[in-house]
Amino acid sequence: MLDHALIYDAEGQPLLNGQLNESREWAQVNAFCNRVYMPLSTRPLVAGSDPNATLRTLSVGQIVFSRFCFGTPTKADEFDPSSGNIIVVNTMRGSVRQPLSDGTSVDTRPGDSYVVDCSRTDYWNVADGSDLQLNLTISHRLMEQTAQRWYGFVPEDDLWRKRIVFGRGQSAWLSLLNYATLSINANSDRVDSPLIEKRIEETICLELLRAWAASSGLNLETGARSAAPRYVRDAERLMAEQAHKAPTVVEIAAQLGISARSLSEGFRRFRGITPHDYLTARRLDGLRKALEEASPTHTVSSVAAARGYVNMSIMSASYRQRFGETPLQTLQNRTGVGRGEPVPDR
């Protein structure tokens, strides 16, 4: 189903015209790999052979899609962990040998998907030369943010170190990737709607996290969430209830009778984030709800100020990063701008 991924859009229009889409030069191929994936080492398995590489890449939100092959038997290794990237290899043709967590290896075939967090474990692969992949490059930080947002905690490295195959055959995962690539407009080489793009990014990360956890034996619904001590869970409750009052972490800790340092340590250990990050997210969630429920006479400034926001520029940047749209767009969608109601001033 991914035969035309990153070649044509949903209207059959060609993507990436006029760009470097193939190469027989190792310097170009290596530069592509270092830019799209991370610094790594490649070497042909047939001495003196030149590549016949496919090099096509586009981004959907923060996720980098690449249609790629070396076009000759090649081994790649020494992936740079400092890049902080996760690689998802979706084999479309041929086979790619890749390591598993138990010390064995697997030859992924068409329809197989494989995930490795290069920031948490080593990685290598051997391409057979007749292979073709649709790869995803996703930052570890983005996956952590997804886990926190949806499940309330960040899994330990026991999950991120797992190197697994998932979504074999004509899976829903591949259908999701097909939808994502078909959502790209050939005229702009991007998804036209920032909101839809953000939702696609979120769904891909969430589906990957779900499949990763299921294959690793981690229950995201009851995992580290239930293991957190009571004061962490109580802090989360207070932050959600009092977000509209813009409390500080020190104030939340004082209500619980503990130090801010103890609260920070609890969040770091059991949630993988700081209490400030958690509180920021809850405040933004509350702001979004307030904007959605605001009357036509309200502005972004008035709604945000009522919830304790002072620096509107910083608030707006954080809001857009979290929701994929500006506060003004949320307010306009709610108040029916363009249907005779007043336009907010900010």
Side-chain angles (χ1 to χ4, degrees), residues 59-64 137-139 142 145 197-198 201 321:
S59 295
V60 176
Q62 300 177 67
I63 300 175
V64 179
T137 307
I138 308 174
S139 74
L142 180 59
Q145 291 171 344
E197 184 175 62
K198 183 67 176 178
E201 173 194 280
Q321 181 180 23

Side-chain angles (χ1 to χ4, degrees), residues 38 64 67 69 93 97 112 152 193 224 269 277 282 292 304 342:
M38 65 197 75
V64 179
R67 186 184 180 98
C69 71
R93 186 179 68 207
R97 179 161 296 175
D112 291 347
S193 167
R269 180 178 179 186
D277 287 341
R282 298 292 76 77
E292 291 173 338

Side-chain angles (χ1 to χ4, degrees), residues 323-342:
F323 300 115
E325 64 180 5
T326 66
L328 179 57
Q329 288 173 319
T330 302
L331 187 60
Q332 287 176 329
N333 291 338
R334 174 63 183 92
T335 57
V337 170
R339 296 192 295 271
E341 298 183 6

Side-chain angles (χ1 to χ4, degrees), residues 103-275:
T104 63
S105 62
V106 62
D107 291 334
T108 54
R109 306 290 182 179
D112 291 347
S113 297
Y114 172 94
V115 61
V116 57
D117 187 341
C118 295
S119 73
R120 295 298 189 270
T121 189
D122 63 298
Y123 175 57
W124 55 264
N125 66 54
V126 176
D128 69 5
S130 64
D131 56 291
L132 178 66
Q133 303 95 46
L134 181 71
N135 297 329
L136 276 64
T137 307
I138 308 174
S139 74
H140 177 89
R141 178 174 176 79
L142 180 59
M143 288 297 293
E144 283 192 341
Q145 291 171 344
T146 301
Q148 172 58 44
R149 193 155 51 244
W150 283 88
Y151 296 103
F153 75 100
V154 176
E156 300 288 342
D157 279 355
D158 287 348
L159 173 68
W160 308 121
R161 292 193 183 106
K162 297 285 187 181
R163 300 171 294 193
I164 63 165
V165 177
F166 68 100
R168 295 179 184 271
Q170 299 296 312
S171 63
W173 165 255
L174 294 184
S175 296
L176 174 59
L177 301 187
N178 192 52
Y179 168 77
T181 59
L182 288 175
S183 298
I184 299 169
N185 186 331
N187 293 323
S188 57
D189 284 341
R190 64 179 179 82
V191 178
D192 287 336
S193 167
L195 180 59
I196 294 299
E197 184 175 62
K198 183 67 176 178
R199 294 298 177 263
I200 292 174
E201 173 194 280
E202 183 92 347
T203 304
I204 289 174
C205 290
L206 186 59
E207 181 64 16
L208 175 60
L209 179 64
R210 186 200 64 77
W212 206 341
S215 297
S216 303
L218 172 64
N219 188 327
L220 293 168
E221 298 293 342
T222 61
R225 181 194 295 273
S226 61
R230 183 180 181 87
Y231 72 85
V232 171
R233 289 179 278 126
D234 285 346
E236 291 173 332
R237 175 180 55 78
L238 290 176
M239 290 177 187
E241 292 173 352
Q242 300 176 21
H244 64 288
K245 299 179 181 179
T248 66
V249 172
V250 172
E251 290 170 342
I252 293 293
Q255 293 180 59
L256 297 171
I258 62 175
S259 68
R261 181 175 181 178
S262 295
L263 185 58
S264 295
E265 176 60 24
F267 267 79
R268 184 200 64 77
R269 180 178 179 186
F270 293 98
R271 295 299 189 244
I273 61 171
T274 68

Side-chain angles (χ1 to χ4, degrees), residues 2-7 15-16 20-21 29 31-38 40 53-60 62-70 79 85-92 125 131-138 177 180-181 184 204:
L2 295 171
D3 285 350
H4 295 156
L6 302 191
I7 297 179
L15 294 164
L16 297 166
L20 177 67
N21 292 320
V29 175
F32 178 90
C33 291
N34 289 348
R35 175 172 59 88
V36 174
Y37 307 121
M38 65 197 75
L40 55 91
T54 296
L55 311 172
R56 303 178 72 93
T57 183
L58 282 170
S59 295
V60 176
Q62 300 177 67
I63 300 175
V64 179
F65 282 73
S66 54
R67 186 184 180 98
F68 176 78
C69 71
F70 287 109
F79 286 72
N85 284 337
I86 293 166
I87 302 295
V88 185
V89 180
N90 304 284
T91 302
M92 302 166 60
N125 66 54
D131 56 291
L132 178 66
Q133 303 95 46
L134 181 71
N135 297 329
L136 276 64
T137 307
I138 308 174
L177 301 187
T181 59
I184 299 169
I204 289 174

Side-chain angles (χ1 to χ4, degrees), residues 26 43-50 72-75 128:
W26 279 112
R43 51 191 176 278
L45 298 181
V46 179
S49 63
D50 293 326
T72 189
T74 304
K75 182 171 184 178
D128 69 5

